[in-house]
Structure formats: structure tokens, C-alpha cells
Amino acid sequence: SASCWLRAMGWFLVAMVDVLERMDEQMYYEYRAIMAMFKEAVEAMIQFQDAETGMFWQVIDKAGVPGNYLETSGSSLFAYAVLKGVRLGYLPKRFRVYGEKAFYGTCDKYLGVNDKGELQLSGICLVAGLGGATHRDGSLEYYFSEPVVENDAKGVAPLLLAYTEMIIQ
């Protein structure tokens, strides 16, 4: 893809931190390679964190481009991965602030109460992917055209994972 989709990057970060947690030290070289990749990816992501909200854009490196928006699921996945990485000692403690910013920013921007008095989480990309001759081409237009929904599991679950890391620190 010519575009860097946030949720895909979030999944990648989560996969690495979860694998590292379960990986046996006997896999010394593989463990070190994944650890280095995890740290490098987190450091690369930080430069794209929105200064005002702490969230990330649907297409990470296209902040402010018309059609792009601050997206919940990927921001929450980033928060979870970073907070867990700090808790497990994979990242320096100073990185916790980036995870907290993404978590609180998501809550402040998109977590609220609807007119029925129920919690509502907004700003979630319903679905995106790649493939097919006539669609899902990975262009900006494609990523910006996908529906943005509320209370979808792809946004709620990562926010709950991040919340868990917030309270067990």
C-alpha cells in the first residue's frame, strides 16, 4: 500500500509486545530482533502523534489532509502496546506519557454519552483492507471513504486493553 494505515500499525505493535511477553529467552536472536523492531516502530510512531489530542490519524503520515481524521482503534492499539511495553520493561518509563496521551486523547475526543444515557465510543474505522482489482487499492481516497462508526468492537476492545494497562501500572 502507498498509504500507512493506522490500525494496521497498531496491530503490528500489539503483536510484537504480546509475542515478546510470551517468547522464551532460548530464542535469543529472534527475541532481540523483535525487541529492536518494536522499539524502532514505537519511536517512529511518536513523531506522528497529534500534539493536541495525543491520537493518530487514520492515514498516519497525512495529518490534516482533507478526509483524514483522528481514529480511535489504532490510537487505542498504540496506547495499549506502549503502556504494556513500559510495564514489562521493553520501553523506557519516559514512553508512558505517549501511551497515556493516546488513551486520554481518545477518551476526551470520542468517548461520551449518547441521548439514551449510554456510553458511546466514536471515531472507529469500520473496516479497511487491501485487495481486489477494482477496490481496496490502499489509496488515500480509499482509506478516507471507509465508514466511520460508533461502538464497534475494533475500537472498543483496544480501548479496554489500553484501560487495563492504565490501571495495572
Side-chain angles (χ1 to χ4, degrees), residues 9-160:
M9 192 64 193
W11 285 330
F12 183 52
L13 294 174
V14 168
M16 287 188 287
V17 76
D18 284 353
V19 164
L20 286 167
E21 180 184 30
R22 289 164 179 77
M23 204 169 193
D24 191 289
E25 283 285 340
Q26 291 178 343
M27 298 182 77
Y28 178 84
Y29 296 106
E30 295 86 353
Y31 181 86
R32 296 292 180 258
I34 294 171
M35 181 69 75
M37 198 171 6
F38 176 63
K39 290 176 180 177
E40 182 180 352
V42 169
E43 287 179 5
M45 286 284 295
I46 287 169
Q47 69 181 316
F48 296 105
Q49 191 168 28
D50 183 64
E52 184 180 333
T53 65
M55 294 181 71
F56 293 87
W57 296 84
Q58 165 74 337
V59 176
I60 297 169
D61 61 340
K62 303 296 183 202
V65 170
N68 206 0
Y69 60 97
L70 296 165
E71 201 276 333
T72 295
S73 65
S75 295
S76 297
L77 289 165
F78 172 87
Y80 167 73
V82 169
L83 293 168
K84 184 173 185 176
V86 170
R87 177 175 59 84
L88 296 175
Y90 305 152
L91 297 170
K93 291 182 183 191
R94 65 182 169 82
F95 278 64
R96 182 171 168 83
V97 69
Y98 300 110
E100 288 177 346
K101 279 177 62 174
F103 175 78
Y104 287 122
T106 301
C107 292
D108 291 345
K109 183 162 183 69
Y110 286 125
L111 185 62
V113 178
N114 65 19
D115 56 1
K116 296 178 186 175
E118 303 164 334
L119 276 178
Q120 178 173 297
L121 184 63
S122 305
I124 305 165
C125 174
L126 179 61
V127 67
L130 298 173
T134 60
H135 63 288
R136 297 168 41 140
D137 63 359
S139 66
L140 292 177
E141 296 76 22
Y142 164 68
Y143 284 117
F144 298 167
S145 72
E146 288 300 297
V148 181
V149 298
E150 302 160 349
N151 296 333
D152 186 81
K154 292 179 289 297
V156 173
L159 189 65
L160 291 174

